[in-house]
């Protein structure tokens, strides 16, 4: 069994990005700028946004954080997004999800200029990605594809089972694994209504679990020599930890790991790669890699 070290891989990629940014600055280009909008005070979102700011520093990016109160109206948030769309200094921005219930999330996403949508969630990017056209790719799936590539894990012609069908993880992940230029695999997607989920998993060469159910994938669902990627990060109570909780993956690591050829840990697997992919997307936005700068 080999452990896929997302923390180390992400650190190496951030150094590569920093070297490229240094060259850009030396050649007279402006510093890439990522902005984040945080509405309300959700603990998980606060931590995630803080990590993004730290990652920006590591990559040599400028970062700005726009905080709005939980009772911010949809109109106020849309006005803020329009300002970011028009701000020439901002290369890319993210609106941290989930948003408070009174705000229509899809409406907000549709308002983001797709050329600055470094989270890859605007329909233009999701659609272009599905067609295999150059676009910003949702950060978590992009991070997983990058991990598979960096560890030289063969995917072409393999049977891959993706657990979960959310718009930000499951669906784009399955699309990437399917596409010839990325995974080139035979892909099955399972969700909460799938009747043959366990049987599908048992036949899989690669399992990507993104359902948010701690310890859901057990040893009896995994064949010998499989590659298991655990996206799940659920906070579970842990009296032994300082904070009183720990992050638990979707995979019952202790019993599944001995059967795997490769497996990602939680934490330290997919999580660090998500933020690192956001940095890659921001660099691409600053360079006008997918869409010409206006
Ligand atoms: P989500 O929007 O809640 O989607 C969960 C998906 O899992 C849904 O498609 C759901 O099926 C399916 N599902 C739920 N229970 C199931 C069950 N018992 N059997 C089969 N399928 C089941 O979640 P998400 O945003 O995709 O995130 C999934 C997990 O990944 C969460 O733990 C989240 O915290 C984590 N995550 C981690 C990162 C990272 O960077 N490490 C990034 C994003 C998300 P239905 O469609 O039928 O409801």
């Amino acid at each position: 069994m080999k452990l896929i070290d997302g923390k180390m891989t992400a650190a190496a990629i951030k150094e590569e990005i920093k070297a490229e940014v240094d060259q850009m600055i030396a050649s007279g280009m402006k510093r890439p700028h990522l902005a984040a909008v945080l509405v309300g005070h959700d603990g998980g979102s606060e931590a995630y946004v803080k990590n993004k700011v730290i990652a920006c520093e590591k990559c040599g990016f400028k970062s700005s954080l726009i905080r709005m109160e939980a009772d911010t109206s949809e109109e106020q948030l849309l006005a803020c997004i329009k300002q970011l769309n028009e701000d020439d200094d901002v290369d890319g921005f993210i609106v941290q999800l989930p948003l408070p219930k009174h705000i229509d999330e899809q409406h907000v996403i549709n308002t983001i200029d797709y050329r600055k949508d470094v989270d890859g969630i605007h329909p233009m990017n999701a659609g272009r990605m599905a067609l295999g056209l150059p676009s910003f790719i949702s950060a978590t799936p992009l991070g997983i594809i990058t991990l598979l590539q960096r560890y030289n894990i063969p995917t072409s012609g393999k049977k891959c089972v993706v657990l979960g069908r959310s718009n930000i993880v499951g669906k784009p992940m399955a699309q990437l694994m399917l596409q010839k230029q990325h995974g080139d695999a035979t892909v099955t997607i399972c969700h909460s209504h799938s009747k043959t989920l366990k049987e599908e998993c048992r036949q899989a060469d690669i399992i990507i679990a993104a359902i948010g159910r701690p310890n859901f994938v057990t040893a009896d669902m995994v064949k010998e020599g499989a590659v298991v990627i655990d996206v799940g990060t659920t906070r579970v109570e842990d009296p032994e930890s300082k904070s009183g909780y720990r992050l638990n993956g979707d995979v019952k690591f202790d019993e599944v790991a001995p059967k795997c050829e490769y497996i990602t840990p939680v934490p330290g697997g997919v999580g660090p790669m998500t933020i690192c992919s956001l940095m890659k997307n921001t660099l691409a936005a600053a360079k006008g890699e997918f869409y010409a700068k206006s």
Side-chain angles (χ1 to χ4, degrees):
M1 184 275 288
K2 295 176 206 116
L3 208 58
I4 300 178
D5 189 338
K7 204 171 165 188
M8 189 189 70
T9 311
I13 293 173
K14 279 184 271 185
E15 275 181 27
E16 290 164 20
I17 294 174
K18 171 80 168 58
E20 200 171 334
V21 170
D22 288 347
Q23 276 185 357
M24 286 166 68
I25 306 291
S27 69
M29 286 174 74
K30 83 168 192 64
R31 196 170 285 286
H33 181 183
L34 173 69
V37 183
L38 179 58
V39 184
H41 300 277
D42 174 77
S45 295
E46 290 266 3
Y48 193 51
V49 166
K50 192 176 134 213
N51 286 336
K52 284 174 185 169
V53 173
I54 295 169
C56 280
E57 281 165 19
K58 290 240 158 70
C59 294
F61 294 174
K62 177 176 172 185
S63 73
S64 28
L65 174 57
I66 298 147
R67 286 179 174 277
M68 303 181 92
E69 287 305 318
D71 61 358
T72 297
S73 69
E74 189 171 313
E75 288 67 33
Q76 285 169 319
L77 178 57
L78 294 180
C80 168
I81 292 172
K82 284 178 184 150
Q83 259 183 12
L84 290 169
N85 284 343
E86 286 161 17
D87 186 339
D88 287 339
D89 191 59
V90 173
D91 297 293
F93 65 94
I94 60 135
V95 179
Q96 185 64 43
L97 303 177
L99 290 168
K101 294 260 179 297
H102 64 279
I103 298 178
D104 179 342
E105 225 163 71
Q106 194 56 50
H107 193 191
V108 168
I109 292 169
N110 292 347
T111 308
I112 298 171
D113 182 340
Y114 65 87
R115 292 165 300 184
K116 296 190 177 189
D117 168 38
V118 285
D119 250 349
I121 53 175
H122 187 283
M124 176 70 120
N125 284 309
R128 285 178 63 93
M129 194 277 276
L131 293 174
L133 298 171
S135 63
F136 296 114
I137 296 174
S138 185
T140 304
L142 178 60
I144 293 169
I145 284 286
T146 308
L147 271 183
L148 293 170
Q149 285 165 349
R150 294 243 168 178
Y151 275 81
N152 291 316
I153 296 172
T155 56
S156 180
K158 303 285 182 188
K159 180 172 168 60
C160 173
V161 171
V162 177
L163 302 180
R165 58 174 164 184
S166 71
N167 286 346
I168 60 158
V169 190
K171 279 185 206 149
M173 190 70 246
Q175 296 277 6
L176 288 176
M177 289 306 287
L178 179 67
Q179 280 167 11
K180 207 167 194 164
Q181 71 268 38
H182 294 291
D184 198 23
T186 304
V187 182
T188 303
I189 308 175
C190 294
H191 48 79
S192 66
H193 293 233
S194 298
K195 298 232 175 343
T196 56
L197 185 148
K198 283 197 174 202
E199 291 83 336
E200 297 291 347
C201 285
R202 275 186 209 115
Q203 290 169 27
D205 303 305
I206 303 166
I207 297 175
I208 302 175
I211 58 175
R213 299 279 178 272
N215 301 332
F216 181 89
V217 179
T218 45
D220 60 319
M221 293 166 66
V222 178
K223 77 173 183 187
E224 283 294 335
V227 174
V228 175
I229 307 291
D230 191 352
V231 186
T233 43
T234 308
R235 277 183 185 213
V236 295
E237 280 186 23
D238 181 1
E240 280 171 30
S241 119
K242 238 198 239 165
S243 57
Y245 73 88
R246 68 185 154 79
L247 289 182
N248 207 118
D250 287 346
V251 177
K252 202 163 187 184
F253 186 88
D254 290 348
E255 62 174 54
V256 170
K259 295 183 84 174
C260 296
E261 188 178 357
Y262 286 97
I263 186 167
T264 58
V266 175
V270 173
M273 291 301 293
T274 295
I275 291 187
C276 165
S277 299
L278 181 68
M279 300 297 120
K280 272 171 95 170
N281 279 344
T282 304
L283 182 64
K287 287 164 47 184
E289 208 166 288
F290 306 134
Y291 307 108
K293 308 275 282 177
S294 55

